[in-house]
Amino acid sequence: MNTFGHIFRLTSFGESHGAAIGGVIDGCPAGIALDMEFVRSELNRRRPGQSALTTSRKEADRVEFLSGIYGGKTTGTPVGFIVRNENQHSGDYNNMEDVYRPSHADYTYQMKYGIRDPRGGGRSSARETVARCVAGAVAKLVLRKNGITIQACTSQIGNIRMENSFRDYDADKTESSAVRCPDERVAAAMEALIREVKAQGDSIGGVVTCVIRGVPPGIGEPVFGKLHAALGSAMLSINAAKGFEYGDGFDAPLYRGSEHNDEFFNDGGRISARTNYSGGIQGGISNGQDIYFRVAFKSTATLLREQKTVDREGNETVLTAQGRHDPCVVPRAVPIVEAMAAMTILDYLLLAGNQGRGCGAL
């Protein structure tokens, strides 16, 4: 299960401390101008070492496209690429080879495969998500041609959160803070909290909110291929993701139907809704309104302090991790959430076009 998507598909490969992370994008429409500056900027948003709040691992994350591009445009054939790993400290993991890190995939990978790469978690490392950001950048370029935009931000770190709706903030301010929160006051408090837990050798989690604008009505499948289910599956495939909700999500039970229904009206010849509690999706199919959702991320499992665990033989022991780790994964998860959303939406647009429903631009 290293392939994501139905028509627009990404197959990724590589490990955290291997030679490279790479991927093959299949099903990408032909004739898309590959804006390399944009692709680089997307990778820079995810890369490690971008601020004092992230891991100190330094990676340039330069992507090398190997196929599927001619004259700066996609040819419709598989797009192959690699991003070489340049700054591994494998020795930091010598004391973890026979010990299972709490809340990591060490134990489960060992049980599934009978072997694991302990260096940085191997395939289970979030380093793998660099391939998703490359494919997501390509998907965004296709969506851009069709008037579809995707913007995510950090809406919560620990118990510090933005109190108002995403509509009340200037999304363009998201990249101006190290935590990627568009509310300057809240962003400052988030940064202070991350610094505090980092100084204690601890970690903290949070929430990413994402908004997709411009998706036409009618995208999604009616039963088992619901659009929100596809988005949920995509988000929960991201490392450290623990929860997904769209629209009002878990707040929906607080309201009566008379308060919560999205009433339709004729908006100058276009059917629209006065409210958007549904999050842009009804019956698993887009209704033309903004699609918005939230993804909860747990605290980073690797702590620079003692933790109780067991070794491969089941003997109880104490582990003190070494190396370079994010005290909070949420700021770097923002571009990954956008990438997975872009691939999902493009895949479903192409799927709808294949079935003869709209999407003529694709």
Side-chain angles (χ1 to χ4, degrees), residues 37-341:
E37 187 58 38
F38 174 73
V39 175
R40 279 192 289 268
S41 69
E42 291 293 277
L43 291 181
N44 283 340
R45 296 172 67 210
R46 192 223 70 95
R47 69 177 175 83
Q50 58 188 267
S51 80
L53 303 180
T54 67
T55 171
S56 59
R57 177 173 176 169
K58 300 292 184 182
E59 292 283 0
D61 282 355
R62 288 182 289 263
V63 60
E64 302 172 40
F65 285 100
L66 308 176
S67 64
I69 310 293
Y70 180 76
K73 294 184 177 181
T74 58
T75 62
T77 58
V79 178
F81 64 88
I82 60 171
V83 177
R84 299 184 187 277
N85 296 325
E86 300 174 339
N87 189 228
Q88 307 103 314
H89 289 178
S90 299
D92 289 341
Y93 298 89
N94 288 342
N95 67 328
M96 303 181 194
E97 187 164 358
D98 296 313
V99 175
Y100 299 130
R101 293 172 294 173
S103 284
H104 267 282
D106 298 347
Y107 174 71
T108 52
Y109 265 57
Q110 188 72 38
M111 292 302 100
K112 180 174 179 63
Y113 298 108
I115 188 174
R116 66 182 176 90
D117 183 348
R119 304 167 304 169
R123 182 71 175 154
S124 69
S125 168
R127 179 79 186 139
E128 178 272 338
T129 60
V130 70
R132 306 181 191 213
C133 285
V134 174
V138 174
K140 280 185 175 183
L141 291 172
V142 182
L143 295 177
R144 182 191 292 176
K145 289 187 60 177
N146 292 269
I148 297 172
T149 62
I150 300 173
Q151 289 183 305
C153 70
T154 299
S155 56
Q156 181 175 344
I157 297 292
N159 62 352
I160 300 170
R161 68 181 73 192
M162 298 193 307
E163 295 299 332
N164 299 324
S165 165
F166 65 88
R167 302 177 189 85
D168 300 322
Y169 298 97
D170 181 358
D172 292 335
K173 292 184 177 180
T174 299
E175 294 298 315
S176 64
S177 79
V179 289
R180 295 200 164 90
C181 174
D183 184 314
E184 295 178 9
R185 179 187 61 82
V186 174
M190 289 176 173
E191 291 180 26
L193 177 58
I194 295 174
R195 289 193 185 94
E196 177 186 333
V197 299
K198 181 180 180 180
Q200 297 170 350
D202 215 330
S203 64
I204 194 75
V207 176
V208 172
T209 294
C210 186
V211 185
I212 309 171
R213 295 184 171 92
V215 177
I219 303 303
E221 302 305 312
V223 182
F224 296 114
K226 295 179 188 293
L227 184 57
H228 60 268
L231 286 167
S233 177
M235 298 308 140
L236 292 173
S237 74
I238 301 172
N239 306 64
K242 300 298 285 185
F244 171 85
E245 62 175 356
Y246 76 103
D248 270 6
F250 287 96
D251 284 338
L254 302 176
Y255 302 94
R256 299 186 181 190
S258 57
E259 300 171 303
H260 197 257
N261 283 350
D262 293 317
E263 296 181 349
F264 292 109
F265 72 104
N266 189 322
D267 185 12
R270 172 179 175 269
I271 294 177
S272 188
R274 299 186 190 280
T275 55
N276 189 18
Y277 303 123
S278 301
I281 302 172
Q282 292 165 330
I285 301 171
S286 62
N287 65 5
Q289 306 298 303
D290 291 349
I291 295 172
Y292 65 94
F293 59 85
R294 291 164 297 281
V295 188
F297 289 88
K298 68 173 181 143
S299 305
T300 312
T302 301
L303 308 181
L304 300 181
R305 59 197 296 179
E306 287 188 352
Q307 294 188 86
K308 295 179 180 179
T309 187
V310 298
D311 62 19
R312 193 179 299 182
E313 304 302 320
N315 301 308
E316 294 187 359
T317 185
V318 173
L319 170 69
T320 301
Q322 303 174 35
R324 303 157 297 173
H325 308 281
D326 288 279
C328 180
V329 302
V330 179
R332 291 178 62 208
V334 168
I336 304 168
V337 166
E338 290 182 2
M340 295 307 296

